[in-house]
Amino acid sequence: MIVPVVTARYPHDRAAFTEGLQYLGGGRYVESTGETGRSGVRRTDLKTGKPDLQVATPIPTAFGEGVTVLGSTAYHLTWQEGVAFTFDAATLKETGRFRYSGEGWGLTHDGKHLIMSNGTSSLVWRDPKTFRAVRTVRVTDQGQPVKNLNELEYVQGSVYANVWLTDRIARIDPQTGKVTAWIDVSALTREASRDAAQAGRPLTFDDVPNGIAFVPERGTLLLTGKRWGTLFEVKVPGVKVDPGVGGRAAPRR
């Protein structure tokens, strides 16, 4: 079990029910939030935790889920509506919609395809132009399926996945679906819970770890959770500095 080493802490909006997270470069990240009537996508300053641009999920009754930016397009899932939205990444103006079957949970990309979770043990690779499923991989640990895969991040040839209602992040081989390592974020959960309690707004049972973003210029990950007051920057073994990767460019495979 890998225990991340915290290198920095940043403020995070306690009202944000985090569903998706991706670093964009230049000290900004994109984040999506859930909850019916409060779902949306925002671009946020890392140091201040303040959004400089945000939009609501276009269907007001939808529960927003994961987000990822590939090229000049941001993609945003919904939980049970079966609709994925596309936005202009610079303006967050809606540019299109796709339909899909099943639930939508987490979303990332490998520079060529979108990678989506749906709450099961499967990851689905999708064509970013059509949203058509092109490949499915079943995630296993020692031969057993790993269910409840949630927020995703593709980092230097591996897929990192929050596992819903746990304090563990799975590092997954995208070719075989096998878990190659587990990251224990329980210390981060305890710190976020303690801080929330001291502020008089204790975390609830579903304010769990969710949110993974890769910072290539520092070789670090940004980790947070639903309604956490802190976004943690951490070092973990196997994640290296990659200065040739910009915020919206493809990770090196």
Side-chain angles (χ1 to χ4, degrees):
M1 188 76 72
I2 294 171
V3 177
V5 176
V6 177
T7 61
R9 292 169 174 82
Y10 305 98
H12 182 252
D13 182 6
R14 272 299 316 269
F17 197 73
T18 304
E19 299 292 355
L21 194 70
Q22 181 182 331
Y23 184 68
L24 298 174
R28 284 180 169 80
Y29 60 88
V30 64
E31 181 177 24
S32 58
T33 59
E35 296 189 302
T36 303
R38 304 187 70 177
S39 297
V41 176
R42 59 182 71 180
R43 189 179 67 204
T44 300
D45 181 88
L46 176 61
K47 290 186 177 180
T48 67
K50 302 291 186 183
D52 58 45
L53 188 63
Q54 57 184 326
V55 295
T57 300
I59 298 176
T61 56
F63 193 110
E65 287 284 345
V67 69
T68 196
V69 173
L70 175 56
S72 60
T73 303
Y75 299 81
H76 176 42
L77 301 175
T78 52
W79 179 26
Q80 295 178 318
E81 282 70 21
V83 177
F85 304 99
T86 60
F87 303 93
D88 180 283
T91 64
L92 294 185
K93 291 183 178 179
E94 186 185 350
T95 56
R97 300 184 181 190
F98 296 110
R99 299 287 309 186
Y100 57 87
S101 59
E103 296 186 351
W105 286 42
L107 195 64
T108 188
H109 69 81
D110 61 8
K112 182 179 180 181
H113 292 104
L114 303 172
I115 306 171
M116 174 178 162
S117 65
N118 56 19
T120 69
S121 59
S122 293
L123 296 177
V124 181
W125 273 250
R126 294 184 178 273
D127 185 322
K129 294 183 178 179
T130 65
F131 220 71
R132 181 177 62 88
V134 298
R135 178 171 171 256
T136 300
V137 171
R138 184 169 176 259
V139 176
T140 61
D141 182 29
Q142 299 182 340
Q144 298 301 309
V146 179
K147 300 179 181 179
N148 292 329
L149 299 173
N150 203 355
E151 216 276 305
L152 307 174
E153 184 79 352
Y154 183 89
V155 184
Q156 297 173 332
S158 294
V159 176
Y160 289 70
N162 284 113
V163 180
W164 185 52
L165 295 180
T166 78
D167 289 321
R168 298 192 301 168
I169 293 172
R171 188 181 72 197
I172 302 161
D173 182 327
Q175 301 306 315
T176 65
K178 292 182 179 179
V179 173
T180 58
W182 287 101
I183 300 172
D184 178 2
V185 298
S186 58
L188 307 187
T189 301
R190 288 192 297 271
E191 181 175 329
S193 180
R194 181 199 66 207
D195 292 347
Q198 290 176 348
R201 294 185 296 166
L203 298 183
T204 62
F205 79 97
D206 57 355
D207 292 340
V208 294
N210 209 44
I212 311 166
F214 173 48
V215 183
E217 62 265 33
R218 294 194 289 275
T220 57
L221 299 178
L222 302 175
L223 304 178
T224 193
K226 301 171 185 286
R227 290 191 286 251
W228 285 18
T230 303
L231 188 152
F232 298 90
E233 185 166 0
V234 306
K235 291 286 291 185
V236 297
V239 178
K240 302 176 182 179
V241 173
D242 198 346
V245 177
R248 293 177 185 167
R252 192 162 59 207
R253 303 191 69 176

Short mmCIF file of all heavy atoms in Angstrom, two decimals, residues 136-184:
data_model
loop_
_atom_site.label_atom_id
_atom_site.label_comp_id
_atom_site.label_asym_id
_atom_site.label_seq_id
_atom_site.Cartn_x
_atom_site.Cartn_y
_atom_site.Cartn_z
N THR A 136 -13.53 -2.01 -23.86
CA THR A 136 -13.91 -2.12 -22.45
C THR A 136 -12.91 -3.03 -21.74
O THR A 136 -12.54 -4.08 -22.26
CB THR A 136 -15.33 -2.69 -22.30
OG1 THR A 136 -16.26 -1.82 -22.95
CG2 THR A 136 -15.70 -2.80 -20.83
N VAL A 137 -12.48 -2.61 -20.56
CA VAL A 137 -11.54 -3.40 -19.76
C VAL A 137 -12.15 -3.61 -18.37
O VAL A 137 -12.66 -2.66 -17.76
CB VAL A 137 -10.18 -2.68 -19.62
CG1 VAL A 137 -9.29 -3.39 -18.61
CG2 VAL A 137 -9.48 -2.62 -20.97
N ARG A 138 -12.10 -4.84 -17.91
CA ARG A 138 -12.59 -5.18 -16.57
C ARG A 138 -11.43 -5.06 -15.59
O ARG A 138 -10.38 -5.65 -15.78
CB ARG A 138 -13.18 -6.59 -16.56
CG ARG A 138 -13.81 -7.03 -15.26
CD ARG A 138 -14.57 -8.32 -15.50
NE ARG A 138 -15.13 -8.88 -14.27
CZ ARG A 138 -14.58 -9.89 -13.59
NH1 ARG A 138 -13.44 -10.43 -14.01
NH2 ARG A 138 -15.17 -10.35 -12.51
N VAL A 139 -11.62 -4.29 -14.53
CA VAL A 139 -10.57 -4.03 -13.55
C VAL A 139 -10.63 -5.09 -12.45
O VAL A 139 -11.69 -5.32 -11.86
CB VAL A 139 -10.69 -2.62 -12.96
CG1 VAL A 139 -9.65 -2.39 -11.87
CG2 VAL A 139 -10.55 -1.59 -14.07
N THR A 140 -9.47 -5.70 -12.18
CA THR A 140 -9.41 -6.75 -11.17
C THR A 140 -8.21 -6.56 -10.27
O THR A 140 -7.20 -5.97 -10.66
CB THR A 140 -9.32 -8.15 -11.82
OG1 THR A 140 -8.12 -8.23 -12.60
CG2 THR A 140 -10.53 -8.44 -12.68
N ASP A 141 -8.32 -7.08 -9.06
CA ASP A 141 -7.22 -7.12 -8.11
C ASP A 141 -7.10 -8.55 -7.62
O ASP A 141 -8.03 -9.07 -6.99
CB ASP A 141 -7.48 -6.17 -6.94
CG ASP A 141 -6.35 -6.14 -5.93
OD1 ASP A 141 -5.18 -6.39 -6.34
OD2 ASP A 141 -6.61 -5.90 -4.74
N GLN A 142 -6.00 -9.19 -7.95
CA GLN A 142 -5.80 -10.60 -7.62
C GLN A 142 -6.97 -11.46 -8.10
O GLN A 142 -7.43 -12.37 -7.40
CB GLN A 142 -5.56 -10.77 -6.12
CG GLN A 142 -4.32 -10.04 -5.62
CD GLN A 142 -4.06 -10.24 -4.15
OE1 GLN A 142 -4.94 -10.61 -3.39
NE2 GLN A 142 -2.83 -9.99 -3.72
N GLY A 143 -7.44 -11.13 -9.29
CA GLY A 143 -8.49 -11.90 -9.93
C GLY A 143 -9.90 -11.53 -9.56
O GLY A 143 -10.86 -12.02 -10.17
N GLN A 144 -10.07 -10.64 -8.57
CA GLN A 144 -11.40 -10.23 -8.13
C GLN A 144 -11.77 -8.88 -8.73
O GLN A 144 -10.92 -7.98 -8.79
CB GLN A 144 -11.46 -10.16 -6.60
CG GLN A 144 -11.20 -11.49 -5.92
CD GLN A 144 -12.20 -12.56 -6.35
OE1 GLN A 144 -13.41 -12.36 -6.31
NE2 GLN A 144 -11.68 -13.71 -6.77
N PRO A 145 -13.02 -8.69 -9.16
CA PRO A 145 -13.41 -7.41 -9.75
C PRO A 145 -13.36 -6.27 -8.73
O PRO A 145 -13.68 -6.47 -7.56
CB PRO A 145 -14.85 -7.67 -10.21
CG PRO A 145 -15.33 -8.81 -9.38
CD PRO A 145 -14.13 -9.67 -9.13
N VAL A 146 -12.93 -5.12 -9.18
CA VAL A 146 -12.89 -3.92 -8.33
C VAL A 146 -14.06 -3.03 -8.76
O VAL A 146 -14.01 -2.39 -9.82
CB VAL A 146 -11.55 -3.17 -8.47
CG1 VAL A 146 -11.56 -1.91 -7.60
CG2 VAL A 146 -10.39 -4.08 -8.10
N LYS A 147 -15.09 -3.01 -7.96
CA LYS A 147 -16.31 -2.26 -8.31
C LYS A 147 -16.24 -0.83 -7.80
O LYS A 147 -15.32 -0.44 -7.09
CB LYS A 147 -17.54 -2.98 -7.73
CG LYS A 147 -17.73 -4.40 -8.22
CD LYS A 147 -18.94 -5.04 -7.58
CE LYS A 147 -19.13 -6.48 -8.06
NZ LYS A 147 -20.30 -7.14 -7.41
N ASN A 148 -17.24 -0.05 -8.19
CA ASN A 148 -17.39 1.34 -7.74
C ASN A 148 -16.22 2.23 -8.16
O ASN A 148 -15.84 3.16 -7.43
CB ASN A 148 -17.58 1.41 -6.22
CG ASN A 148 -18.90 0.83 -5.77
OD1 ASN A 148 -19.89 0.89 -6.50
ND2 ASN A 148 -18.93 0.26 -4.58
N LEU A 149 -15.66 1.97 -9.33
CA LEU A 149 -14.63 2.86 -9.86
C LEU A 149 -15.27 4.22 -10.13
O LEU A 149 -16.31 4.32 -10.77
CB LEU A 149 -14.05 2.29 -11.15
CG LEU A 149 -13.36 0.92 -11.01
CD1 LEU A 149 -12.99 0.40 -12.39
CD2 LEU A 149 -12.13 1.02 -10.12
N ASN A 150 -14.63 5.27 -9.65
CA ASN A 150 -15.26 6.59 -9.71
C ASN A 150 -14.34 7.56 -10.47
O ASN A 150 -14.03 7.33 -11.63
CB ASN A 150 -15.58 7.07 -8.30
CG ASN A 150 -16.70 8.11 -8.27
OD1 ASN A 150 -17.18 8.55 -9.29
ND2 ASN A 150 -17.11 8.48 -7.07
N GLU A 151 -13.87 8.62 -9.86
CA GLU A 151 -13.08 9.63 -10.56
C GLU A 151 -11.78 9.04 -11.08
O GLU A 151 -11.14 8.23 -10.40
CB GLU A 151 -12.78 10.80 -9.62
CG GLU A 151 -12.80 12.15 -10.32
CD GLU A 151 -11.49 12.50 -11.00
OE1 GLU A 151 -10.45 12.50 -10.33
OE2 GLU A 151 -11.52 12.79 -12.20
N LEU A 152 -11.39 9.44 -12.30
CA LEU A 152 -10.26 8.85 -12.99
C LEU A 152 -9.22 9.89 -13.37
O LEU A 152 -9.55 11.05 -13.60
CB LEU A 152 -10.72 8.15 -14.27
CG LEU A 152 -11.86 7.13 -14.18
CD1 LEU A 152 -12.25 6.68 -15.58
CD2 LEU A 152 -11.43 5.93 -13.33
N GLU A 153 -7.97 9.43 -13.51
CA GLU A 153 -6.90 10.25 -14.07
C GLU A 153 -5.91 9.33 -14.77
O GLU A 153 -5.44 8.34 -14.19
CB GLU A 153 -6.20 11.07 -12.99
CG GLU A 153 -5.13 12.02 -13.52
CD GLU A 153 -5.67 13.31 -14.11
OE1 GLU A 153 -6.92 13.42 -14.27
OE2 GLU A 153 -4.87 14.20 -14.41
N TYR A 154 -5.59 9.66 -16.01
CA TYR A 154 -4.59 8.91 -16.76
C TYR A 154 -3.24 9.58 -16.54
O TYR A 154 -3.08 10.77 -16.83
CB TYR A 154 -4.94 8.90 -18.25
CG TYR A 154 -4.00 8.08 -19.10
CD1 TYR A 154 -4.23 6.72 -19.32
CD2 TYR A 154 -2.88 8.66 -19.69
CE1 TYR A 154 -3.37 5.96 -20.10
CE2 TYR A 154 -2.01 7.91 -20.47
CZ TYR A 154 -2.27 6.56 -20.68
OH TYR A 154 -1.40 5.83 -21.45
N VAL A 155 -2.28 8.83 -16.02
CA VAL A 155 -0.98 9.39 -15.67
C VAL A 155 0.13 8.46 -16.15
O VAL A 155 0.27 7.34 -15.65
CB VAL A 155 -0.83 9.60 -14.14
CG1 VAL A 155 0.50 10.28 -13.82
CG2 VAL A 155 -1.98 10.40 -13.58
N GLN A 156 0.88 8.91 -17.13
CA GLN A 156 2.10 8.22 -17.55
C GLN A 156 1.90 6.71 -17.73
O GLN A 156 2.66 5.90 -17.21
CB GLN A 156 3.23 8.53 -16.56
CG GLN A 156 3.56 10.03 -16.55
CD GLN A 156 4.55 10.45 -15.50
OE1 GLN A 156 4.64 9.82 -14.44
NE2 GLN A 156 5.28 11.53 -15.73
N GLY A 157 0.85 6.36 -18.46
CA GLY A 157 0.62 4.97 -18.81
C GLY A 157 -0.23 4.17 -17.86
O GLY A 157 -0.47 2.98 -18.11
N SER A 158 -0.70 4.77 -16.78
CA SER A 158 -1.59 4.09 -15.84
C SER A 158 -2.87 4.90 -15.65
O SER A 158 -2.88 6.12 -15.81
CB SER A 158 -0.92 3.91 -14.47
OG SER A 158 0.17 3.03 -14.56
N VAL A 159 -3.94 4.21 -15.28
CA VAL A 159 -5.19 4.88 -14.91
C VAL A 159 -5.31 4.83 -13.38
O VAL A 159 -5.22 3.75 -12.78
CB VAL A 159 -6.42 4.20 -15.54
CG1 VAL A 159 -7.70 4.86 -15.06
CG2 VAL A 159 -6.34 4.25 -17.07
N TYR A 160 -5.47 5.98 -12.78
CA TYR A 160 -5.70 6.07 -11.33
C TYR A 160 -7.20 6.27 -11.11
O TYR A 160 -7.83 7.09 -11.79
CB TYR A 160 -4.92 7.24 -10.73
CG TYR A 160 -3.42 7.01 -10.70
CD1 TYR A 160 -2.67 7.01 -11.86
CD2 TYR A 160 -2.76 6.81 -9.49
CE1 TYR A 160 -1.29 6.80 -11.83
CE2 TYR A 160 -1.38 6.60 -9.45
CZ TYR A 160 -0.66 6.60 -10.63
OH TYR A 160 0.69 6.39 -10.59
N ALA A 161 -7.77 5.54 -10.16
CA ALA A 161 -9.22 5.58 -9.94
C ALA A 161 -9.56 5.62 -8.46
O ALA A 161 -9.12 4.75 -7.70
CB ALA A 161 -9.89 4.36 -10.58
N ASN A 162 -10.33 6.62 -8.06
CA ASN A 162 -10.95 6.58 -6.74
C ASN A 162 -11.95 5.42 -6.71
O ASN A 162 -12.66 5.18 -7.69
CB ASN A 162 -11.72 7.87 -6.44
CG ASN A 162 -10.83 9.03 -6.08
OD1 ASN A 162 -10.74 10.00 -6.83
ND2 ASN A 162 -10.18 8.97 -4.93
N VAL A 163 -12.01 4.72 -5.60
CA VAL A 163 -13.02 3.67 -5.41
C VAL A 163 -14.03 4.23 -4.41
O VAL A 163 -13.69 4.52 -3.26
CB VAL A 163 -12.39 2.37 -4.90
CG1 VAL A 163 -13.47 1.31 -4.69
CG2 VAL A 163 -11.35 1.87 -5.89
N TRP A 164 -15.25 4.40 -4.88
CA TRP A 164 -16.29 5.09 -4.11
C TRP A 164 -16.49 4.47 -2.73
O TRP A 164 -16.50 3.25 -2.57
CB TRP A 164 -17.60 5.04 -4.91
CG TRP A 164 -18.72 5.81 -4.30
CD1 TRP A 164 -18.72 7.12 -3.89
CD2 TRP A 164 -20.05 5.32 -4.05
NE1 TRP A 164 -19.96 7.47 -3.40
CE2 TRP A 164 -20.79 6.39 -3.49
CE3 TRP A 164 -20.66 4.09 -4.26
CZ2 TRP A 164 -22.12 6.25 -3.13
CZ3 TRP A 164 -22.00 3.95 -3.91
CH2 TRP A 164 -22.71 5.02 -3.35
N LEU A 165 -16.62 5.34 -1.74
CA LEU A 165 -16.86 4.99 -0.34
C LEU A 165 -15.66 4.30 0.30
O LEU A 165 -15.81 3.61 1.31
CB LEU A 165 -18.12 4.13 -0.17
CG LEU A 165 -19.44 4.82 -0.53
CD1 LEU A 165 -20.61 3.87 -0.31
CD2 LEU A 165 -19.65 6.10 0.28
N THR A 166 -14.48 4.48 -0.29
CA THR A 166 -13.26 3.95 0.32
C THR A 166 -12.21 5.05 0.39
O THR A 166 -12.35 6.11 -0.21
CB THR A 166 -12.67 2.77 -0.47
OG1 THR A 166 -11.97 3.26 -1.63
CG2 THR A 166 -13.74 1.78 -0.90
N ASP A 167 -11.13 4.77 1.12
CA ASP A 167 -9.99 5.66 1.20
C ASP A 167 -8.83 5.15 0.34
O ASP A 167 -7.67 5.36 0.65
CB ASP A 167 -9.51 5.78 2.66
CG ASP A 167 -10.47 6.58 3.51
OD1 ASP A 167 -11.01 7.58 3.01
OD2 ASP A 167 -10.67 6.21 4.68
N ARG A 168 -9.16 4.48 -0.76
CA ARG A 168 -8.13 3.89 -1.60
C ARG A 168 -8.26 4.36 -3.05
O ARG A 168 -9.38 4.52 -3.57
CB ARG A 168 -8.21 2.36 -1.58
CG ARG A 168 -7.98 1.75 -0.20
CD ARG A 168 -7.78 0.25 -0.30
NE ARG A 168 -8.92 -0.42 -0.92
CZ ARG A 168 -8.90 -1.69 -1.33
NH1 ARG A 168 -7.81 -2.41 -1.19
NH2 ARG A 168 -9.98 -2.22 -1.86
N ILE A 169 -7.12 4.57 -3.66
CA ILE A 169 -7.04 4.85 -5.09
C ILE A 169 -6.34 3.67 -5.75
O ILE A 169 -5.26 3.24 -5.29
CB ILE A 169 -6.26 6.15 -5.36
CG1 ILE A 169 -7.04 7.36 -4.83
CG2 ILE A 169 -5.95 6.31 -6.85
CD1 ILE A 169 -6.25 8.66 -4.89
N ALA A 170 -6.93 3.15 -6.80
CA ALA A 170 -6.33 2.04 -7.54
C ALA A 170 -5.48 2.58 -8.69
O ALA A 170 -5.92 3.47 -9.41
CB ALA A 170 -7.41 1.12 -8.10
N ARG A 171 -4.28 2.04 -8.83
CA ARG A 171 -3.47 2.30 -10.03
C ARG A 171 -3.64 1.10 -10.94
O ARG A 171 -3.36 -0.03 -10.54
CB ARG A 171 -2.00 2.51 -9.68
CG ARG A 171 -1.16 3.00 -10.87
CD ARG A 171 0.30 3.15 -10.48
NE ARG A 171 0.93 1.83 -10.29
CZ ARG A 171 2.08 1.65 -9.65
NH1 ARG A 171 2.71 2.68 -9.09
NH2 ARG A 171 2.59 0.43 -9.53
N ILE A 172 -4.11 1.34 -12.16
CA ILE A 172 -4.58 0.27 -13.03
C ILE A 172 -3.76 0.22 -14.32
O ILE A 172 -3.49 1.26 -14.94
CB ILE A 172 -6.07 0.50 -13.38
CG1 ILE A 172 -6.92 0.55 -12.09
CG2 ILE A 172 -6.59 -0.57 -14.33
CD1 ILE A 172 -8.26 1.22 -12.29
N ASP A 173 -3.40 -0.99 -14.74
CA ASP A 173 -2.79 -1.19 -16.05
C ASP A 173 -3.91 -1.13 -17.09
O ASP A 173 -4.80 -1.98 -17.07
CB ASP A 173 -2.10 -2.56 -16.10
CG ASP A 173 -1.38 -2.82 -17.42
OD1 ASP A 173 -1.86 -2.35 -18.47
OD2 ASP A 173 -0.35 -3.51 -17.39
N PRO A 174 -3.90 -0.14 -17.99
CA PRO A 174 -5.03 -0.01 -18.92
C PRO A 174 -5.11 -1.12 -19.95
O PRO A 174 -6.16 -1.28 -20.58
CB PRO A 174 -4.77 1.35 -19.58
CG PRO A 174 -3.31 1.57 -19.45
CD PRO A 174 -2.91 0.92 -18.17
N GLN A 175 -4.04 -1.87 -20.14
CA GLN A 175 -4.07 -2.96 -21.11
C GLN A 175 -4.72 -4.21 -20.53
O GLN A 175 -5.52 -4.88 -21.19
CB GLN A 175 -2.65 -3.27 -21.59
CG GLN A 175 -1.96 -2.08 -22.25
CD GLN A 175 -2.76 -1.48 -23.39
OE1 GLN A 175 -3.29 -2.19 -24.23
NE2 GLN A 175 -2.84 -0.15 -23.41
N THR A 176 -4.38 -4.54 -19.29
CA THR A 176 -4.88 -5.78 -18.67
C THR A 176 -6.02 -5.55 -17.70
O THR A 176 -6.76 -6.50 -17.38
CB THR A 176 -3.74 -6.48 -17.91
OG1 THR A 176 -3.34 -5.64 -16.80
CG2 THR A 176 -2.54 -6.71 -18.81
N GLY A 177 -6.17 -4.32 -17.19
CA GLY A 177 -7.17 -4.04 -16.17
C GLY A 177 -6.73 -4.43 -14.77
O GLY A 177 -7.47 -4.23 -13.80
N LYS A 178 -5.52 -4.94 -14.64
CA LYS A 178 -5.06 -5.37 -13.32
C LYS A 178 -4.61 -4.17 -12.47
O LYS A 178 -3.97 -3.25 -12.99
CB LYS A 178 -3.90 -6.36 -13.46
CG LYS A 178 -4.32 -7.69 -14.06
CD LYS A 178 -3.14 -8.65 -14.14
CE LYS A 178 -3.56 -10.00 -14.73
NZ LYS A 178 -2.41 -10.93 -14.84
N VAL A 179 -4.96 -4.20 -11.19
CA VAL A 179 -4.50 -3.18 -10.25
C VAL A 179 -3.03 -3.45 -9.96
O VAL A 179 -2.66 -4.54 -9.52
CB VAL A 179 -5.33 -3.19 -8.95
CG1 VAL A 179 -4.73 -2.23 -7.92
CG2 VAL A 179 -6.78 -2.81 -9.24
N THR A 180 -2.19 -2.44 -10.20
CA THR A 180 -0.75 -2.60 -9.99
C THR A 180 -0.29 -2.01 -8.67
O THR A 180 0.84 -2.28 -8.23
CB THR A 180 0.03 -1.95 -11.14
OG1 THR A 180 -0.32 -0.55 -11.22
CG2 THR A 180 -0.32 -2.61 -12.47
N ALA A 181 -1.13 -1.21 -8.03
CA ALA A 181 -0.80 -0.65 -6.72
C ALA A 181 -2.05 -0.02 -6.12
O ALA A 181 -2.99 0.35 -6.84
CB ALA A 181 0.31 0.40 -6.82
N TRP A 182 -2.04 0.11 -4.81
CA TRP A 182 -3.10 0.81 -4.08
C TRP A 182 -2.48 2.01 -3.36
O TRP A 182 -1.41 1.89 -2.77
CB TRP A 182 -3.78 -0.09 -3.07
CG TRP A 182 -4.68 -1.12 -3.66
CD1 TRP A 182 -4.42 -2.45 -3.85
CD2 TRP A 182 -6.02 -0.91 -4.14
NE1 TRP A 182 -5.49 -3.08 -4.42
CE2 TRP A 182 -6.49 -2.17 -4.61
CE3 TRP A 182 -6.85 0.21 -4.23
CZ2 TRP A 182 -7.76 -2.33 -5.15
CZ3 TRP A 182 -8.12 0.05 -4.77
CH2 TRP A 182 -8.56 -1.21 -5.22
N ILE A 183 -3.16 3.13 -3.41
CA ILE A 183 -2.74 4.33 -2.69
C ILE A 183 -3.71 4.56 -1.54
O ILE A 183 -4.93 4.64 -1.74
CB ILE A 183 -2.71 5.56 -3.61
CG1 ILE A 183 -1.73 5.33 -4.77
CG2 ILE A 183 -2.33 6.82 -2.84
CD1 ILE A 183 -1.78 6.40 -5.83
N ASP A 184 -3.18 4.65 -0.34
CA ASP A 184 -3.98 4.82 0.88
C ASP A 184 -4.07 6.31 1.20
O ASP A 184 -3.08 6.94 1.55
CB ASP A 184 -3.30 4.07 2.02
CG ASP A 184 -4.03 4.23 3.35
OD1 ASP A 184 -5.09 4.89 3.39
OD2 ASP A 184 -3.53 3.70 4.36
#
